[in-house]
Amino acid sequence: MSSVSPETLFNLLPEVYRRRDEEQGFPLKALMAILAEQAAIVQHDIDRLYDNQFIDTCDEWAVPYLGELVGYRYGPAIPGVSQRAAAANQIALTRRRGVALALEQLATDTTRWPARVVEFFQLLARPEHMAAPQTEHHYTLNLRDSAKSEALNTAFDTASYTVATGRISQGEGRHHFRHVGLFLWRLRHYRQPITLAHRVAARRYLFNPLAINTPLFNQPLPEPDINHLAREENLPVPLLRRSIAGDRLPLFCPHAFTVILDGILLTPDQIQICNLSDSGAGWAHVPIDRVSVDPELGRLALPASLDEPDRVEVTFHYGACADMGGGSYSRREGFIVSSAAPEHIGEGDSIQAALDNIVNGGVAQIGVSHRFTQAPDVLVNADRTLSLRAADGHRAFIDLDGDEMTLVGGSEAEIVLDGLVISGGRLVVPDTGDNNLRRLVLRHVTLVPGRTLTIDGEPVSPTLPSLVVEIPNVTVEIERSIIGGIRTVEGSAVAITDSIVDATSRTGIAFSALDETSHGGVLTLCETTVIGKVAARSFPLISNTILDAALAEADDWTSPVWALQRQTGCARFSYIPPNSRVPRQHRCQPQFAAAKAVEAEEARNPLLTDSAREHIVRGVRARVVPAYTSSRYGTPAYGQLLLSAPAEIRRGADSGSEMGVYHHLYQPQRHDALLFRLNEFLPIGLDAGLIYVT
C-alpha cells in the first residue's frame, strides 16, 4: 500500500462535495485526515508483518505472543525492561535446564543485571577418590596466594569450605551440597571520555577531574556465547589491585582504562598496578621504571626516570546507580532544538565568549570532557531560550573556583543547563532589578554537594547551598540531577523529578528561604531523595519521595519538613519524618506503618492503652527509617538503599518499587521476576540464593 495523504483522499471526492465542504469550513477534509492517519497505521502493520514473525526484529508488543509460542512464562512485569532477550533464549535455556550456564543467562535476561552463577557444592571440602583427584581443592587455604585470598567470599572464590547449615534462599548460609548462588551486579559502568588527569603534585595525578579518589570499574568484555560462564573481565566489577595485576593486566587495559602521555598511549607492559595510598606527605610505593596505577583509588604516579610530560590524559570507567547527574550517557532526546547552529566550545575555549554570542537565544555546546576553570555569567534576552550543555557522550566539568555563576534573563526568557558537572561555587538567579527570568531548567546536571570535595570525597563547605534563587515568579525545573542545598525567595516555584537534593547531612538545610530559617518557594517533589531539612511555602505534590531529615539539638527549626500552607497539595507513597508539617498524607511512612501496627494490636487487644499505643508507634518510627549503601557524593553507590532497609521504603512506592531517586529502576520487580523464573529452571533439590555484589 502506498502512502496516502489527506490531500489525496480529499481530491478523490466529487467536486460537488469538495465545494460544499469548503463552504462549511472543511469538516469533511478533517475526516479525510483522520482516515489517512488510520491508513498509515494499517500500512505500517502490513509492512511489519514479516519482521514481526521473528523475536529479533518484532515490535515490542509482539514479544509476549512469540514468547507464548515457545512456552515462555512471564513473571511480574518490570516497567521499562524488555523481555525480548529472555523470550529469544527460551529454547536454548530449556535445553540446558538445570545447568549453571542456563541459570546465569536466565538471571541476565530477566533482570538485565550482569550475573555469575556459583555452585557452592563444588567448593565443599570432601574426601576424594584416588582415581579422580581434584588438585584444585585444598582443605587449607594457601595464604601465599594473594589473588586467591583476596577472592574469598566473592563470586570468584575458589577456596574449599565445610558445610554450612541453613538455607541460602533465606540468607542463612552459602556452602552446602544443595546451594546455588546467583551473584548480581546492580551498579552500572560509565565511560569517562578522554580528559586531563588532575595534577596533585609533581608526578602524582588523579583520574577524576574533581580531584577525588575514584574506584575504577571494568568495561565488560562480551561473552562469546550462551555456553560461557561469566568471568571477572565479563562483568562491571570494581577493579582491584591484585585481580588485574601482572599477566591479567592486558584483559583490562586499555579497554577499561588508558593512560596517555603527551599523546602517546601507554601499553600494558609500560604500566604496573600497585598501592598508591597516602604515606606521610606523599604516596606509597613510588614507581621506579614504569607508570603506576592504583585502580582502587583512581591514582596515577610517574617514575622519576621519566621526564614529566606536558599533558597527562586518561580515560576510565566509573560506577553509578543510574543515568543521573552530569554523565557521558546518551542525553540527546532531551536536547532543545535551535534554528541556528550551536556555538561549539572546545579545549581552551572561553565558555563566556560562546554565551555572549547567543544572548538572543541558541545553544552553546561543550564538545570535550575536560575541566574548565571559569565562572561564566549567563544572559539571555526577552522571549528567548538559551542552552548551555555538554555534547552527547561527553561529561564536561566547570570549576567556579570559589565564584558564582549568575543566570539573568529578560521577560519570558528561559535558560537550560544540560549534562554539566559544576563545582567550586554556586548557581545564582540574582535580584539585579531587571532580572525577569521566567524558567530555569537543570537537566542531567551535578551541582556538587558541599561545592568542593577533599581528596577523600568529604564536602569542604557542607552548609553552603548550590543553588540560590533571589527573584520571584521564576520556575525552576530539576530533572535527573544531583544538587546541594537550595535557597529561594517565597514567590518562586521549584519542581524536582528523579533527582537527589543533598545537604550533606540529615540536619543540614536542603531547601529554605534565603535566611535559612523561614520557608522558601513552592516545592514539588516526585521520585526524589532529599537529605536535609525542608521549609517550603507549600507542597503541591510529594510523590514516591524520601525526605530524610532530622532536627539537630537546640535547632531553631520546629519541624524537619515544614509547609507554611498545608491546605493545598498532598503527600503520597513517601517517607516523611515524624513531626513534619505537610499536606494530607496517603500511605506515607512511617505514619502508615505505625497506624497498621496499632490497628493489628487493637484487633488482638481491644483494651489497648494509650501508653501501649505510643510504645508501638515509637517502635515503628525507630525501625522505618531510610538506610543507604552510601550517602556521600562521589561514591559509586551514592543514594542507593540498603537491601536491609525497611520493606516499607524499599517497596513503598505506588508501583511497588522503592521510594526515592531510583524508583524508576524497579529493582524490587526485577528481584521478584527472577525468583519467579528460577522455579522453572532450578534443578530439583537445589536451593538458590540471590547475592547482590553491588
Side-chain angles (χ1 to χ4, degrees), residues 533-587:
K533 299 179 296 188
V534 177
R537 179 177 181 83
S538 65
F539 293 104
L541 179 63
I542 302 175
S543 178
N544 298 330
T545 291
I546 295 176
L547 289 165
D548 191 5
L551 296 177
E553 294 184 8
D555 204 319
D556 294 334
W557 289 42
T558 58
S559 300
V561 179
W562 170 33
L564 182 66
Q565 298 176 349
R566 291 183 289 166
Q567 297 81 7
T568 60
C570 72
R572 59 188 298 274
F573 298 96
S574 298
Y575 175 83
I576 298 175
N579 305 318
S580 296
R581 301 176 60 188
V582 296
R584 63 186 183 276
Q585 301 182 36
H586 175 67
R587 298 179 73 95

Side-chain angles (χ1 to χ4, degrees), residues 426-440:
R426 64 179 188 173
L427 262 62
V428 181
V429 182
D431 184 5
T432 60
D434 58 351
N435 189 358
N436 297 309
L437 184 69
R438 181 182 67 85
R439 183 169 174 253
L440 169 64

